[in-house]
Amino acid sequence: MNLGDAMRRSEVFEYSLQQALYPHMKGIVPLPSVYYEDFIALNQKDRADNCIAGVSKQEHLNRIREDIRKFKAANKLDKVILLWTANTERFANEVEGINDTAENLLRSIERNETEVSQSTVFAVASILEGCSYINGSPQNTFVPGVIELADKHRVFIVGNDFKTGQTKIKTMLADFLVAAGIKPVSVVSYNHLGNNDGMNLSSESQFKSKEKSKKSCIEDILSSNQILYKDGDTNIDHTRRLWTSTFLRSSWADTTHLQFTTFARILFLPLQLFLTLCSLLSCSSVSSTRPTRLLSSRDLTQC
């Protein structure tokens, strides 16, 4: 299927935008990819209809590398960057002897080990071809072996989900509260999805990847305040739920509820000192021989 027809099927863009883009997209046909059932929700199987033949992960790796070289040459490019925006995978188990080092990872691909995901195969192919790799999904594509391989080949890799939706909002709120001395103790969020991403995430193992990624953002912020969270105890009640509704189509609805505790008397101290100082200055003004006047912002600044 070409990208124009795929765009119409997904119904993400407004109809008028689809009409404007279709002539430019109908001539673009995606290259075949790889699909490993164990890493993607089973409800995606019927959609996986443009796959590289065979089950050998080494052959898949070789084919992806070949496609990168051909694409680079055909378009006369100086550099190719791979950006992963495909479906969320389940977390890969990090196993000693399988994906813990670059050498073991390459051997695991040769042996067709089951604990090597398709996104990791893409990352390895990208690194071996000297191409930067950006991971836009929350799974652990960058197992230790991938990181070591990238370091060895001096290739830039980055990314652990884009987090531009609900996660971004609650991260901003948590950062604001913690910086103000307010201690979040519970974060409960709900995602209502209607697109194919929602269908994939409705599978428990894929949702766990998303859940871990979302939780890690909050934990990083909480751990930055050793006063509110002594001894690094950031294990708050952080609950995430997802519902899929075909009615929503390409749209989604997010709801986030934050509950927090405050040391109210401590937070009041700056205000109490400020008002006390204002009162003191006002009293000094009244007891002097000069006419009484209200304090100005300039007076407070000079104080």
Side-chain angles (χ1 to χ4, degrees):
M1 180 182 293
N2 65 65
L3 290 188
D5 291 338
M7 173 184 63
R8 287 178 170 175
R9 182 183 67 175
S10 65
E11 299 181 347
V12 172
F13 296 147
E14 295 291 337
Y15 179 75
S16 58
L17 182 56
Q18 291 184 36
Q19 293 297 94
L21 290 175
Y22 188 82
H24 304 284
M25 299 182 69
K26 65 180 181 180
I28 305 175
V29 179
L31 293 168
S33 185
V34 292
Y35 171 71
Y36 304 151
E37 288 187 11
D38 186 41
F39 283 91
I40 301 296
L42 290 178
N43 58 33
Q44 301 296 298
K45 187 174 182 178
D46 292 341
R47 297 172 62 94
D49 55 4
N50 185 30
C51 300
I52 299 173
V55 296
S56 169
K57 294 183 179 180
Q58 183 62 54
E59 291 180 5
H60 294 163
L61 174 66
N62 295 339
R63 171 62 185 275
I64 296 169
R65 294 186 64 182
E66 181 184 354
D67 285 343
I68 292 173
R69 291 193 294 267
K70 287 182 177 179
F71 182 82
K72 185 176 182 179
N75 293 279
K76 300 178 180 180
L77 303 174
D78 295 323
K79 187 173 181 62
V80 174
I81 298 174
L82 271 70
L83 170 63
W84 178 277
T85 59
N87 278 338
T88 298
E89 301 168 344
R90 70 163 175 84
F91 256 53
N93 295 316
E94 297 182 3
V95 183
E96 184 178 353
I98 299 295
N99 51 21
D100 56 333
T101 67
E103 183 179 359
N104 287 339
L105 178 58
L106 292 175
R107 288 179 178 176
S108 295
I109 293 175
E110 290 179 0
R111 297 195 304 266
N112 217 37
E113 291 284 353
T114 58
E115 217 45 49
V116 179
S117 69
Q118 53 261 50
S119 66
T120 293
V121 171
F122 267 90
V124 170
S126 179
I127 293 168
L128 294 178
E129 290 301 317
C131 302
S132 298
Y133 186 92
I134 303 171
N135 175 38
S137 295
Q139 69 273 343
N140 60 337
T141 297
F142 300 145
V143 292
V146 170
I147 297 173
E148 182 181 311
L149 187 68
D151 186 58
K152 179 180 178 180
H153 289 266
R154 309 298 295 169
V155 173
F156 180 75
I157 61 172
V158 66
N160 177 21
D161 202 2
F162 289 127
K163 299 181 178 67
T164 55
Q166 182 194 75
T167 308
K168 182 68 174 178
I169 297 300
K170 66 183 180 184
T171 300
M172 292 170 60
L173 287 172
D175 187 46
F176 169 77
L177 293 172
V178 170
I182 301 173
K183 182 179 181 180
V185 294
S186 175
V187 180
V188 181
S189 56
Y190 307 89
N191 293 78
H192 303 263
L193 300 171
N195 53 17
N196 190 57
D197 186 38
M199 287 185 61
N200 182 61
L201 290 174
S202 65
S203 176
E204 183 66 19
S205 58
Q206 280 68 40
F207 179 68
K208 285 295 182 183
S209 294
K210 194 76 171 177
E211 188 176 39
K212 287 183 180 180
S213 176
K214 286 176 174 288
K215 187 175 182 179
S216 65
C217 290
I218 300 294
E219 288 178 340
D220 288 343
I221 293 171
L222 304 186
S223 62
S224 67
N225 192 316
Q226 297 297 317
I227 297 176
L228 293 180
Y229 300 93
K230 296 179 180 179
D231 301 322
D233 183 16
T234 59
N235 189 28
I236 66 171
D237 180 13
H238 190 180
T239 304
R240 294 147 301 279
R241 292 291 181 266
L242 180 144
W243 287 274
T244 301
S245 172
T246 54
F247 172 76
L248 290 173
R249 293 287 184 174
S250 62
S251 61
W252 64 89
D254 293 334
T255 303
T256 299
H257 171 73
L258 280 90
Q259 183 174 339
F260 49 86
T261 59
T262 65
F263 300 99
R265 296 185 184 277
I266 295 177
L267 293 174
F268 288 159
L269 278 176
L271 182 59
Q272 291 170 353
L273 291 172
F274 176 76
L275 293 175
T276 301
L277 180 59
C278 288
S279 300
L280 179 62
L281 292 173
S282 296
C283 289
S284 299
S285 178
V286 170
S287 62
S288 70
T289 56
R290 291 176 295 175
T292 302
R293 62 181 176 84
L294 295 175
L295 285 171
S296 68
S297 57
R298 180 179 179 184
D299 293 321
L300 299 177
T301 302
Q302 291 173 345
C303 293

